[in-house]
């Protein structure tokens, strides 16, 4: 295995970790950390605004996961179609903000709590809704964004 010596990742322009990179990786780490803080604060606001009733599916967590995945679908389409985007945009928005915003671990914790409390249907519904909702959201948002960007490009705009 060859040492990549801190070269940029082919798909993102962000320095990849390897021996000898020194401080060149810190900008990406800082971007993820700053974005993660913002995403976690946004998630907290949604979860506080929509409290969960006991022994029910946590629909606020579902909403956070589905909207976060939809935004990831939009972001990835836009970033991959726009050459020259800042190399820290994906780590900041994708990994940081949207990674901090979504919370699949909370959906598993909620399902475990429902199962422990004797509500297996709630647990199963919670897991199934989060997984299916997230997959459909990222696919639909990515597909819609791609179609929109193709339409703009066909009209002579930029994509």
């Amino acid at each position: 295995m060859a040492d990549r010596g801190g070269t940029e990742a082919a798909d993102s322009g962000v320095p990849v970790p390897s021996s000898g990179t020194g401080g060149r990786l810190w900008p990406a780490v800082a971007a993820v950390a700053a974005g993660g803080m913002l995403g976690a604060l946004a998630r907290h606001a949604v979860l506080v605004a929509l409290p969960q009733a006991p022994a029910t599916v946590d629909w606020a967590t579902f909403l956070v996961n589905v909207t976060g995945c939809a935004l990831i679908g939009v972001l990835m389409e836009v970033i991959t179609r726009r050459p020259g985007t800042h190399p820290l945009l994906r780590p900041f928005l994708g990994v940081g903000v949207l990674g901090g915003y979504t919370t699949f671990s909370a959906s598993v914790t909620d399902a475990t709590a429902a199962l422990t409390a004797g509500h297996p249907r709630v647990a199963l519904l919670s897991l199934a809704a989060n997984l299916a909702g997230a997959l459909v959201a990222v696919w639909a948002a990515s597909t819609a964004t791609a179609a929109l960007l193709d339409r703009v490009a066909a009209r002579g705009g930029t994509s």
Side-chain angles (χ1 to χ4, degrees), residues 12-111:
S12 69
V14 175
V16 295
S18 66
S19 60
T21 59
R24 294 178 18 187
L25 186 60
W26 285 110
V29 171
V32 170
M37 178 188 65
L38 295 174
L41 287 171
R43 170 175 29 107
H44 178 71
V46 172
L47 297 179
V48 167
L50 303 169
Q52 177 185 8
T56 63
V57 172
D58 187 351
W59 293 110
T61 297
F62 172 79
L63 176 67
V64 162
N65 287 336
V66 169
T67 58
C69 284
L71 290 170
I72 287 169
V74 170
L75 177 67
M76 291 302 112
E77 282 297 327
V78 170
I79 285 178
T80 56
R81 290 170 176 255
R82 292 198 54 104
T85 58
H86 195 283
L88 295 177
L89 188 62
R90 183 186 296 191
F92 175 73
L93 290 176
V95 179
V97 173
L98 296 174
Y101 177 68
T102 56
T103 179
F104 289 92
S105 59
S107 65
V108 172
T109 301
D110 292 341

